[in-house]
Amino acid sequence: MSWIHTTAAEQAAALAAGEVTSVELTQAHLDQIAATNGELNSFLHVDADGALAQAAASDARRAAGAPLHELDGVPIAIKDVLATEGLPTTAGSKILEGWIPPYDGTVTAKIKAAGLPILGKTNMDEFAMGSANENSAYGPVKNPWDHTRIPGGSGGGSAAAVSAFQAPLAIGSDTGGSIRQPGAMTGTVGVKPTYGSVSRYGVIALANSLDQLGPVTRTVLDSALLQELIGGHDPLDSTSVATAVTGLADAARQGAAGDLAGVRIGIVKELQGDAWSAPVVERFDESIEILKGLGAEVVEVSLPSFVHAMAAYYLILPAECSSNLAKFDAMRYGLRVTPEGDPSAEDVMKASRDAGFGNEVKRRILIGTYALSSGYYDAYYGQAQKIRTLIIEDFKKAFEQVDVLVSPTAPTTAWALGEKADDPLANYLQDLATIPANLAGVPGISIPSGVSSADGLPTGIQFLAPVLEDARLYRVGAALEAALTKQWGAAIAAPAYAKEA
């Protein structure tokens, strides 16, 4: 059999049963990467030797009867936004080309401590700015479902890698939907955990109050297993919450049994209308009927401040971005461009930032600097933070009425490469449904809801839950996933990659 087409949970069970070794699993995925990455560009760096050495160590532990974790030996990919000691970490930017961190981020350290071989680092929009993975300094990622289409962003590399069976698990980061939206575009499961429940230590920051690492997988259970591994309090992260988020895998297994009796689900009134394409709405409506059939009560809920979420987000994020990226000054690390003549330190900084940052990064730095400037702070950034407070309050009121909220993940399916490259606003609008969760810190999950009747590309459905109630997402998500998979006969997968050779 082809092990790459099994889930992470199935691979873990096979390892425990002695049916396969970690070296065999890891080599199979490395072979898939070698065969497909030239076309997809999902990986920026592949660490074949390191991954195989880690796999051999995992096999030795199992032979001694001492595995470190349920997922010990199951390979994983990591978005290139997270520090990995000894491996290049660029955040998709030219300004960090060749930078090799001398330390591991906390999530990297947890992955290593659990014994998962790290296959490599995945491509991404530069500094996680984008909805199409076309802003990477190292070239765009292609969607495994159609190589002429985008995979979503900013985490298109992780989503494409999982979708193309290059990895069973991946780490992504979600600042405004960068795990969930690529999930919808590639037919994968993407989770944004509760803000602060997964450490951000070692993450190259875009917007500190919005960024959150999370799982990218092909099943809800796999995401639950991975989130339980990477979650937990971290004293190295000042925003880390003390309360652990637990019971996620149990919730997924409970949901897969298919009983949602007593669960109240709220359709977000403000995330409907003309912005959503007919095929996306068609699959969404079908999923809602399935949820009702599983015993859930479905009602419409209004969160009126959501209509201002995008405007608030695109002031708060650039403001934090302009502050965070100020440290890339060519003085300590990263790209250094020295102009001719007798340049000053300021001249070197200007030349280096001009050459090292792409257009989207420059655009957001300018917006953020303006929003924070004297005389405009209260008019823009201050007002945006007030809207953020209203969004948080709307979530609280909504969750007094329902257990989870639901909407389509993205307004459309994946569009053609280059189609929206010169239209930043069109890209920003793709995050209509995902942005509110980041502003409020609540957890969200996107799972495949089917394929579009118009273009045959995957669509996604998103569930949101109260802070620290991530388990609700896994119960409802797994219930719908099981029902849809039964209806389809098998999980949806990119046709060119799902078939056995």
Side-chain angles (χ1 to χ4, degrees):
M1 68 180 298
S2 174
W3 285 108
I4 65 171
H5 292 100
T6 57
T7 68
E10 290 168 343
Q11 291 176 22
L15 285 167
E19 297 171 3
V20 68
T21 66
S22 179
V23 167
E24 290 170 337
L25 277 180
T26 303
Q27 187 63 62
H29 287 94
L30 289 169
D31 290 345
Q32 179 72 348
I33 294 169
T36 59
N37 198 57
E39 178 67 29
L40 294 174
N41 197 30
S42 46
F43 278 84
L44 292 179
H45 178 77
V46 179
D47 184 25
D49 292 342
L52 289 171
Q54 292 163 359
S58 174
D59 289 334
R61 286 191 297 272
R62 284 201 182 272
L68 296 172
H69 186 273
E70 180 178 354
L71 294 174
D72 190 345
V74 178
I76 190 170
I78 296 178
K79 187 177 181 180
D80 202 31
V81 75
L82 178 61
T84 45
E85 183 180 0
L87 294 182
T89 302
T90 69
S93 180
K94 207 74 172 174
I95 207 162
L96 279 175
E97 185 174 18
W99 182 61
I100 299 177
Y103 70 101
D104 280 326
T106 295
V107 167
T108 305
K110 286 192 171 191
I111 288 168
K112 288 182 176 179
L116 282 71
I118 298 173
L119 296 166
K121 307 296 288 293
T122 58
N123 203 346
M124 57 182 286
D125 283 303
E126 185 179 9
F127 287 106
M129 300 185 205
S131 301
N133 221 138
E134 294 181 293
N135 294 331
S136 170
Y138 307 100
V141 177
K142 296 178 181 178
N143 192 321
W145 285 75
D146 181 343
H147 294 168
T148 69
R149 306 280 181 141
I150 59 96
S154 65
S158 288
V162 171
S163 178
F165 301 94
Q166 294 176 330
L169 303 167
I171 296 296
S173 68
D174 194 307
T175 305
S178 293
I179 292 175
R180 290 163 289 154
Q181 185 254 17
M185 300 290 166
T186 60
T188 54
V189 176
V191 180
K192 185 203 89 69
T194 291
Y195 179 78
S197 66
V198 176
S199 174
R200 291 186 303 105
Y201 178 75
V203 175
I204 299 171
L206 166 55
N208 303 61
S209 73
L210 301 165
D211 298 341
Q212 184 60 69
L213 295 179
V216 179
T217 68
R218 289 190 294 272
T219 71
V220 173
L221 177 58
D222 285 357
S223 282
L225 293 169
L226 184 53
Q227 186 177 337
E228 287 185 340
L229 189 163
I230 64 176
H233 178 67
D234 180 15
L236 298 176
D237 177 3
S238 63
T239 61
S240 179
V241 297
T243 305
V245 177
T246 59
L248 306 181
D250 288 342
R253 294 185 178 103
Q254 178 190 5
D259 182 8
L260 293 181
V263 176
R264 285 176 58 86
I265 299 175
I267 299 175
V268 180
K269 177 182 177 182
E270 287 71 22
L271 298 180
Q272 302 178 68
D274 295 339
W276 310 92
S277 69
V280 168
V281 173
E282 181 182 8
R283 296 286 88 85
F284 176 74
D285 289 344
E286 290 172 357
S287 293
I288 294 300
E289 291 306 311
I290 290 173
L291 291 167
K292 291 177 181 177
L294 295 174
E297 180 184 356
V298 181
V299 298
E300 186 176 78
V301 179
S302 178
L303 293 90
S305 60
F306 273 27
V307 299
H308 305 298
M310 179 162 291
Y313 175 86
Y314 278 105
L315 285 168
I316 293 170
L317 178 142
E320 295 188 17
C321 149
S322 70
S323 176
N324 278 321
L325 299 193
K327 61 178 170 283
F328 297 104
D329 56 10
M331 296 295 109
R332 287 161 289 187
Y333 53 83
L335 177 72
R336 176 178 291 186
V337 176
T338 305
E340 294 182 1
D342 185 23
S344 65
E346 185 176 351
D347 292 331
V348 173
M349 290 181 195
K350 287 179 179 178
S352 300
R353 287 168 69 85
D354 181 51
F357 289 145
N359 289 337
E360 183 61 27
V361 174
K362 292 174 183 175
R363 180 183 295 114
R364 297 197 196 189
I365 289 174
L366 288 171
I367 293 171
T369 303
Y370 182 81
L372 292 175
S373 61
S374 177
Y376 295 101
Y377 180 96
D378 290 333
Y380 294 109
Y381 185 74
Q383 290 296 102
Q385 290 290 14
K386 291 177 182 177
I387 294 296
R388 186 178 199 170
T389 300
L390 293 176
I391 290 169
I392 293 171
E393 291 303 313
D394 276 356
F395 268 117
K396 289 179 180 178
K397 291 174 184 176
F399 288 130
E400 290 173 357
Q401 305 171 55
V402 297
D403 297 303
V404 296
L405 296 168
V406 65
S407 74
T409 308
T412 68
T413 55
W415 57 93
L417 287 162
E419 181 181 330
K420 303 182 192 297
D422 297 323
D423 189 348
L425 184 58
N427 272 286
Y428 299 166
L429 289 171
Q430 289 296 318
D431 297 331
L432 271 172
T434 52
I435 280 172
N438 297 83
L439 289 170
V442 304
I445 187 173
S446 175
I447 72 167
S449 57
V451 296
S452 163
S453 57
D455 54 26
L457 296 172
T459 61
I461 185 170
Q462 172 186 242
F463 297 100
L464 304 174
V467 167
L468 299 176
E469 295 291 346
D470 302 46
R472 297 186 190 181
L473 302 177
Y474 285 104
R475 180 185 174 191
V476 176
L480 178 59
E481 176 187 62
L484 285 170
T485 303
K486 182 178 180 181
Q487 177 179 299
W488 300 330
I492 65 168
Y497 296 87
K499 297 175 182 177
E500 300 282 348

